[in-house]
């Protein structure tokens, strides 16, 4: 570790992984409720479990992003973090606020939670992914601003690199677009319209900048390839991400009551959205092919390559699958959407955070890379989680195709619940794959504690 | 590595061939293959551009068989009007198609560095 304050990332990563486990536990709970409706009812109803599952996902990814930024920025900027103490305080504020919110979801009815937190003063609750009580949202803004200030001051008073500037832009965008979560118009069309300003412009806009900069950073570190090469790629990737992603928001405006032209704009621009993901894969492949050294941390290289491939698959391919208006007309809000949501979130954002953890955690623990056995276990967990996520996606896709056909396409459409019964086999299979995912995650955690032969400090020169 | 035997033109041909191969798999089916074939005609055996033109054509011919033929068989055997046919066809086509694109993408970066798909042992 070059700078002491980079070490702050560790607490963020530990919290992220802890919440990740929580997310998956609620995922497999819900997966079972899909086929065994009364499971854990009334203690944990499906809608509550769903809220906890998705909110934990967002919160732990944010922990992961913040930890990654705290590790990356001092090293790139060649100075200590501007205010390490602030990063530590914010960590605890965010963790406590997050935990209280989740407990609130689980312990009191949602309406009571809204009352307790005085939602009526500034009503923002009740929308998917943004269910947090208004005070939690305010807390998130405070944490995000303090974080942005800290990272921003470090970057601006230190050495500026393309990586840190792209990262800063992405993080600033993350904070700015979150502000739309406070704007909840009464008109349902406008409500949905601006809801997507957070949800879509995050994952298909500013988060892509964060993703690209983390990936670029790790790839420079593990391959030793020239910075100039990587920077050119970064420019093209972020330009393509923004050109396609901003107007691409229109792929959510097909059927919500917005004007018809969105069917054209949304279809055309979002059809371009796979390009930046495609470029990221090309970029990662290119850099790894040109590597100047074989880094001791093989697991990190695997995660980086895995991110590039799986982000393309989940966001690029599975996104394109249902993004054209004539297709989306049939698939909107079906299991196809869930299939895509899972693989895209996992392939892009879960995996890039795990890439950053994989690269930085050993360094923060005073090693260049984890020991041989730990790395082997980590790579096993990579395959278990990634392959089971591919299967979750495939099973949901199968369920989705049948659902579309039987419920929306056939001459004699069947009612929703009748169709759900007919596709239950896919939900069982999804649950099975989910359990394998959980095993992979537990193995991942175990890998941090595995003892084994230390890797040599000498780097083999790539042939 | 074969680097010292390559000249600039061969390198350019090689990466164009690999690019045409990807285009045929994605945006420009058939047209991409024609472009690939015309690059192939310009190359001489044992050169890197010849290698990549041939590899690109192999990948695309195999992809065409594996994707189109198997898909057609699935539809013929499963029946056009069966929802299960489409479960298999769409899942199969998407996964296998992406796999070929990923392979062609790796071949592309290998062509950029003037390498074959696998290093000569
Ligand atoms: C890493 C990037 C991405 C992530 C994390 C992501 C995630 C998601 C999620 C969670 C949803 C469901 C939202 C909801 O209704 O609750 C969704 C919907 C959608 N996504 Fe993505 N996505 C990504 C990239 C893309 C791309 C690149 C495309 C297009 C090429 C795309 C196309 C769509 C479409 C069309 C929908 C609406 C589905 C419907 O009508 O039900 N996504 N995405
Ligand atoms: C890192 C892994 C995971 C990620 C990133 C993830 C992400 C998500 C997202 C974004 C949604 C909302 C989907 C939408 O709005 O369309 C969701 C819902 C859901 N997830 Fe996950 N999830 C993961 C793992 C799992 C696992 C292992 C299971 C269980 C087998 C699971 C089961 C579910 C269920 C049942 C829903 C609700 C779907 C519905 O409302 O019909 N998830 N998850
Ligand atoms: Fe979107």
């Amino acid at each position: 570790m070059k700078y002491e304050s980079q070490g702050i990332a560790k607490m963020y990563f530990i919290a992220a992984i802890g919440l990740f486990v929580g997310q998956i536990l609620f995922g497999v709970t819900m997966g079972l409720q899909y086929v065994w409706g009364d499971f854990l009812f009334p203690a944990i109803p499906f809608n509550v479990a769903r809220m906890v599952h998705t909110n934990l996902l967002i919160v732990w990814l944010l922990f992961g992003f913040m930890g990654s930024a705290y590790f990356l920025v001092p090293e790139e900027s060649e100075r200590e973090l501007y205010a390490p103490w602030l990063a530590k305080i914010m960590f605890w504020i965010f963790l406590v606020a997050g935990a209280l919110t989740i407990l609130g979801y689980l312990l009191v009815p949602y309406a009571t939670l809204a009352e307790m937190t005085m939602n009526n003063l500034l009503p923002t609750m009740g929308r998917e992914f943004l269910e947090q009580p208004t005070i939690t949202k305010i807390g998130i803004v405070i944490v995000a601003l303090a974080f942005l200030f800290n990272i921003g001051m470090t970057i601006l008073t230190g050495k500026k690199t393309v990586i840190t500037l792209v990262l800063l832009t992405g993080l600033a965008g993350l904070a700015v677009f979150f502000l739309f979560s406070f704007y909840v118009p009464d008109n349902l069309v406008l409500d949905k319209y601006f809801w997507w300003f957070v949800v879509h412009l995050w994952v298909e806009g500013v988060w892509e900048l964060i993703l690209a900069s983390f990936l670029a950073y790790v790839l420079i570190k593990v391959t030793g390839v020239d910075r100039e090469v990587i920077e050119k790629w970064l420019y093209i990737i972020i330009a393509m991400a923004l050109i396609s992603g901003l107007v691409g928001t229109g792929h959510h405006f097909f059927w919500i009551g917005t004007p018809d032209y969105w069917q054209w704009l949304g279809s055309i621009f979002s059809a371009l959205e796979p390009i930046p993901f495609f470029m990221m894969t090309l970029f990662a492949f290119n850099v790894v092919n040109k590597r100047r050294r074989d880094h001791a941390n093989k697991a990190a290289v695997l995660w980086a390559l895995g991110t590039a491939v799986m982000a393309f698959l989940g966001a690029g391919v599975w996104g394109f699958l249902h993004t054209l208006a004539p297709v989306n007309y049939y698939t909107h809000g079906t299991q196809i959407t869930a299939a895509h949501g899972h693989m895209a979130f996992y392939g892009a954002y879960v995996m890039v955070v795990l890439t950053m953890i994989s690269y930085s955690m050993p360094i923060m623990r005073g090693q260049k890379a984890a020991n041989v056995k730990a790395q082997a276990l980590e790579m096993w967990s990579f395959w278990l989680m990634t392959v089971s996520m591919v299967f979750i996606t495939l099973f949901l896709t199968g369920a989705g195709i049948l659902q579309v056909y039987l419920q929306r396409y056939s001459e004699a459409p069947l009612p929703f619940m009748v169709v759900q019964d007919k596709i239950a086999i896919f939900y069982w299979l999804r649950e099975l794959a989910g359990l394998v995912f959980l095993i992979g995650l537990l193995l991942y955690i175990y890998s941090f504690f595995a003892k084994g032969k230390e890797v040599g400090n000498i780097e083999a020169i790539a042939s | 590595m074969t680097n010292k035997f390559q000249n600039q033109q061969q390198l350019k041909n090689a990466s164009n061939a690999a690019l045409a191969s990807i285009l045929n798999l994605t945006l420009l089916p058939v047209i991409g293959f024609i472009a690939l074939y015309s690059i192939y005609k310009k190359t001489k055996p044992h050169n890197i551009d010849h290698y990549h033109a041939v590899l690109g054509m192999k990948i695309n011919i195999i992809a065409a068989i594996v994707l189109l033929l198997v898909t057609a068989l699935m539809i013929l055997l499963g029946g056009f009007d069966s929802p299960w046919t489409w479960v298999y066809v769409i899942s199969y086509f998407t996964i296998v198609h992406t796999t070929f694109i990923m392979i062609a993408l790796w071949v592309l970066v290998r062509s950029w560095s003037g390498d074959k798909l696998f290093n000569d042992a």
Side-chain angles (χ1 to χ4, degrees):
Chain A
M1 209 162 59
K2 290 198 182 113
Y3 297 90
E4 205 191 317
S5 50
Q6 286 180 285
I8 288 175
K10 198 170 172 182
M11 63 204 295
Y12 279 84
F13 288 155
I14 292 171
I17 295 171
L19 298 171
F20 184 14
V21 175
Q23 184 221 331
I24 299 308
L25 287 177
F26 280 91
V28 292
T29 302
M30 260 193 300
L32 194 52
Q33 288 174 334
Y34 243 83
V35 282
W36 175 12
D38 284 342
F39 179 66
L40 287 184
F41 190 82
I44 306 177
F46 177 85
N47 61 315
V48 171
R50 190 184 200 283
M51 196 158 63
V52 174
H53 179 64
T54 53
N55 280 233
L56 280 175
L57 169 68
I58 304 294
V59 169
W60 85 256
L61 288 180
L62 291 178
F63 268 110
F65 288 174
M66 290 195 268
S68 303
Y70 286 135
F71 186 86
L72 179 156
V73 167
E75 189 167 320
E76 285 283 301
S77 305
E78 293 178 4
R79 57 155 292 169
E80 292 287 350
L81 206 59
Y82 187 77
W85 56 272
L86 187 62
K88 283 183 198 151
I89 295 179
M90 287 302 142
F91 170 83
W92 289 108
I93 294 182
F94 197 37
L95 190 64
V96 171
L100 284 178
T101 304
I102 300 295
L103 285 178
Y105 292 160
L106 288 170
L107 297 180
V108 297
Y110 192 65
T112 316
L113 183 64
E115 252 172 62
M116 282 167 58
T117 56
M118 294 184 286
N119 184 58
N120 55 333
L121 293 182
L122 175 60
T124 67
M125 290 175 73
R127 302 196 293 177
E128 193 198 356
F129 298 119
L130 306 177
E131 293 97 344
Q132 310 81 22
T134 303
I135 40 170
T136 305
K137 289 201 183 79
I138 294 172
I140 293 176
V141 170
I142 293 171
V143 171
L145 286 181
F147 163 72
L148 212 54
F149 169 75
N150 210 350
I151 290 293
M153 289 306 284
T154 313
I155 290 174
L156 297 176
T157 59
K159 185 176 160 214
K160 294 168 203 58
T161 67
V162 176
I163 289 182
T164 54
L165 293 176
V166 170
L167 178 63
L168 188 60
T169 315
L171 293 170
L174 186 156
V176 168
F177 286 121
F178 184 69
L179 296 179
F180 284 99
S181 73
F182 289 93
Y183 181 55
V184 189
D186 287 335
N187 179 317
L188 206 58
V189 177
L190 288 176
D191 175 7
K192 270 275 153 188
Y193 188 88
F194 286 106
W195 178 77
W196 285 112
F197 276 44
V198 187
V199 177
H200 169 99
L201 290 176
W202 265 12
V203 299
E204 290 157 72
V206 289
W207 284 25
E208 280 181 58
L209 309 197
I210 300 171
L211 166 67
S213 65
F214 287 164
L215 208 53
Y217 169 78
V218 173
L219 285 171
I220 288 183
K221 294 292 167 183
V222 295
T223 65
V225 166
D226 279 347
R227 204 169 260 279
E228 290 73 53
V229 179
I230 286 184
E231 290 174 346
K232 269 189 218 119
W233 280 98
L234 260 185
Y235 284 126
I236 310 176
I237 290 170
I238 61 167
M240 285 315 302
L242 295 177
I243 290 170
S244 63
L246 293 178
V247 185
T249 322
H251 64 183
H252 302 293
F253 298 161
F254 297 156
W255 332 113
I256 64 169
T258 38
D260 282 353
Y261 55 75
W262 280 115
Q263 293 186 17
W264 288 98
L265 284 177
S267 296
I268 292 169
F269 279 86
S270 72
L272 302 174
E273 280 185 43
I275 296 174
F277 290 98
F278 184 82
M279 309 277 297
M280 265 187 252
T281 318
L282 190 53
F283 158 64
F285 279 10
N286 186 31
V287 169
V288 169
N289 182 44
K290 282 192 178 153
R291 69 190 179 279
R292 294 247 185 86
R293 54 173 179 245
D294 281 328
H295 197 274
N297 193 339
K298 293 199 169 55
V301 181
L302 181 64
W303 279 112
L305 280 175
T307 307
V309 171
M310 293 299 292
F312 174 66
L313 200 61
V317 176
W318 252 262
F320 184 75
L321 212 56
H322 61 162
T323 206
L324 300 174
V327 176
N328 192 263
Y329 178 76
Y330 290 103
T331 61
H332 181 56
T334 61
Q335 296 296 333
I336 303 279
T337 308
H340 155 68
H342 276 87
M343 183 140 43
F345 254 114
Y346 174 76
Y349 301 116
V350 169
M351 287 186 83
V352 79
V353 168
L354 298 186
T355 303
M356 282 297 294
I357 294 179
S358 181
Y359 173 72
S360 65
M361 211 52 158
I363 297 173
M364 286 188 282
R365 299 167 87 194
Q367 306 158 301
K368 181 171 180 67
N371 66 59
V372 178
K373 185 168 168 218
Q375 282 201 45
L377 289 173
E378 188 183 341
M379 291 196 264
W380 263 98
S381 76
F382 168 96
W383 288 110
L384 280 175
M385 287 195 275
T386 304
V387 170
S388 56
M389 187 47 82
V390 169
F391 276 100
I392 289 179
T393 307
L394 282 174
F395 294 143
L396 290 178
T397 305
I401 295 167
L402 281 185
Q403 185 187 7
V404 167
Y405 198 104
L406 299 175
Q407 192 185 312
R408 296 182 173 174
Y409 185 77
S410 89
E411 303 267 312
L414 298 173
F416 180 85
M417 284 314 287
V418 173
V419 173
Q420 292 301 309
D421 270 345
K422 287 190 186 293
I423 59 183
I425 178 71
F426 284 108
Y427 297 138
W428 280 109
L429 292 169
R430 181 262 302 267
E431 180 64 355
L432 216 64
L435 290 171
V436 177
F437 190 99
L438 179 62
I439 293 172
L441 176 56
L442 297 177
L443 188 65
Y444 174 73
I445 293 171
Y446 173 72
S447 77
F448 288 97
F449 303 98
K451 306 237 177 327
K453 206 173 103 229
E454 292 304 320
V455 292
N457 251 338
I458 314 137
E459 291 171 354
I461 304 298
S463 54
Chain B
M1 262 188 272
T2 47
N3 267 330
K4 49 183 177 283
F5 303 113
Q6 297 162 6
N7 63 36
Q8 233 30 51
Q9 186 56 43
Q10 285 172 12
L11 274 180
K12 220 173 120 192
N13 286 342
S15 59
N16 282 342
L19 185 66
S21 150
I22 287 222
L23 284 175
N24 190 57
L25 277 171
T26 51
L27 295 177
L28 300 171
V30 184
I31 300 176
F33 199 86
I34 295 170
L36 184 54
Y37 185 72
S38 70
I39 295 169
Y40 164 77
K41 296 290 275 184
K42 285 190 289 192
T43 64
K44 294 199 181 69
H46 308 301
N47 289 342
I48 189 74
D49 50 358
H50 187 79
Y51 171 87
H52 274 285
V54 172
L55 181 60
M57 292 198 301
K58 273 189 197 157
I59 289 175
N60 276 280
I61 291 168
I62 296 172
I65 295 172
V66 170
L67 285 170
L68 301 181
L69 198 71
V70 174
T71 303
L73 277 177
M74 281 179 172
I75 296 176
L76 273 176
L77 296 179
F80 197 84
D81 289 325
S82 159
W84 281 94
T85 302
W86 298 105
V87 170
Y88 291 123
V89 165
I90 296 173
S91 312
Y92 170 84
F93 193 91
T94 314
I95 282 286
V96 177
H97 191 205
T98 314
T99 308
F100 275 103
I101 295 175
M102 289 293 115
I103 293 171
L105 210 53
W106 181 254
V107 171
L108 178 64
V109 307
R110 295 294 286 175
S111 78
W112 286 351
S113 57
D115 290 311
K116 296 185 174 178
L117 177 54
F118 302 106
N119 285 329
D120 292 329

